[in-house]
Amino acid sequence: MIRFILNDETIAADAKPGTILLDYLRLHRKMTGTKEVCREGDCGACTVLLGRLTGDAGDYNVDYKPVNSCLLPLGETDGAHVITIEGLNRPGQSDLTPVQKAFVSQGGIQCGYCTPGMVVSTTGFFIDSPTIDEKNAVAALDGNLCRCTGYGGIKRAVRGLCEEFSIPAGAAGGKKRLELLVRWKILPEYVLEMPERLKELQALENGDSAAESSAKVLVAGGTDLFVQKGEQLADASLVFLSGRPDLKGIRTEDGRCIVGAAVTVAELASSPEIKRMFPRIEDDLKRFGSTPIRNRATVAGNIVNASPIGDLAVFLLALDATVALSDGEKSRSVALKAFFKGYKQLDLRENEMVASLSFPIPDKSTGFNFEKVSKRTYVDIASVNSAMGICVENGIVKKATVSAGGVAPIPLVLSETGRFIDGKAVCVETVKKAAAAAQSEISPISDVRGSARYKRLLLGRLVVAHFLALFPERLKAKELL
């Protein structure tokens, strides 16, 4: 039995944990406001808000995130609060919310099919965004498509909302934010009851631990798993990892940064510790999926997916990251570059799972840069991506690690390129030769994302881009053309 709160109703769903939430809403509950279109997390028509209890005794809160219900297994809602488009309106009243009114008045609705997801995402933006402005509001809709191309009206709607509803500094987040949004009627009153209701719900006995222990499929974010194997997983025994405290959190310890396996991409991008080390991290990870995908996709999920173009894999390879593995009894560590054994093959033994990833904390002499080129700037996978970590003292490279994706069967550390750069002066000649070394070290194939020749040339330019980004005072683009 899966227990959760759906809008204002407590649910005990006698359904299989692998049932997709979108199907449960539309087929079992007959709630058709949440639309079905792509079933791949690309269009946002099925967006809902997923709220989880946070905090501790006496100071509970509910953290809401917009997610794609087409990729969310029902088991992940256990103990959570789900808000659909129907649940945004106050029970028993037909008044539109301010968000809905803005979309109507500004011509943000054409056929209307994408509109429920747009409204839910915009509402999620007002709940979650530290800054209320048009730029961030539009960015929060990066996972929503309007096939009628009504973007002008949609932008006018969110612009007007940002002008009308500015968030005071004292209500930046948490309970005060929710209270303010309820007062403005952006959210219904029942959300204020959710901390207590979810606390009571989680006190109930949930699930069968014996069944869980025998499960064979581990699910973290599921943002790729349920695209590829959604139908197969509907009846499978699943273990959900996203709520496990031992797999969460980002901390520094003994000169290393340790990232829990179930940390989401959104959590990674917003982490103060990570932002101090990598000031560009938020911009870099905006090119990783969309807001709803980043709210679910996890660090370990991107690694064990073993995609040759995994963004986080390429990012972490350039940091000389290590993977911590556990089977529940024994633990071991493997260098990330040795973790990838071949195409979709990992150094992962039976019953093992990734517990965390870690990397040395960069010092002041170390620079880092990540580059990604794809057919679309956003919400697309890379043709080629690359990262470089480089330590330079007095103009001389002490150590360089260059990684690349899309140029081999696995995410790759360019060992020969790194060895060539080590000990060299940062100058035009070094950069040109490093780019040539990188091109000679790879084995790309031609596919829908580009020809082998294109990818080889592209990687060379990305190596140049790393140096230009990290050493603008020493290098000029016109000298490296």
Side-chain angles (χ1 to χ4, degrees), residues 272-292:
E273 293 91 344
I274 296 295
K275 287 198 284 189
R276 277 194 293 271
M277 289 182 271
F278 310 104
R280 288 181 49 188
I281 187 74
E282 287 186 286
D283 287 336
D284 287 340
L285 293 184
K286 280 180 181 177
R287 290 175 284 171
F288 185 112
S290 61
T291 297

Side-chain angles (χ1 to χ4, degrees), residues 356-374:
S356 65
L357 292 106
S358 67
F359 56 86
I361 298 172
D363 60 25
K364 292 182 179 179
S365 63
T366 300
F368 180 84
N369 189 58
F370 174 78
E371 298 287 343
K372 174 179 178 177
V373 174
S374 50

Side-chain angles (χ1 to χ4, degrees), residues 24-43:
Y24 179 78
L25 293 174
R26 293 180 61 84
L27 302 178
H28 294 263
R29 304 291 302 181
K30 307 304 180 185
M31 299 173 69
T32 55
T34 303
K35 304 303 183 186
E36 177 182 355
V37 186
C38 72
R39 294 186 76 94
E40 293 187 351
D42 277 346
C43 73

Side-chain angles (χ1 to χ4, degrees), residues 109-146:
I109 300 173
Q110 295 200 21
C111 79
Y113 210 78
C114 71
T115 307
M118 295 269 189
V119 168
V120 172
S121 291
T122 304
T123 303
F125 161 76
F126 275 97
I127 296 173
D128 193 46
S129 179
T131 305
I132 303 299
D133 58 36
E134 182 184 357
K135 179 181 178 181
N136 286 318
V138 171
L141 294 172
D142 60 0
N144 297 85
L145 294 178
C146 173

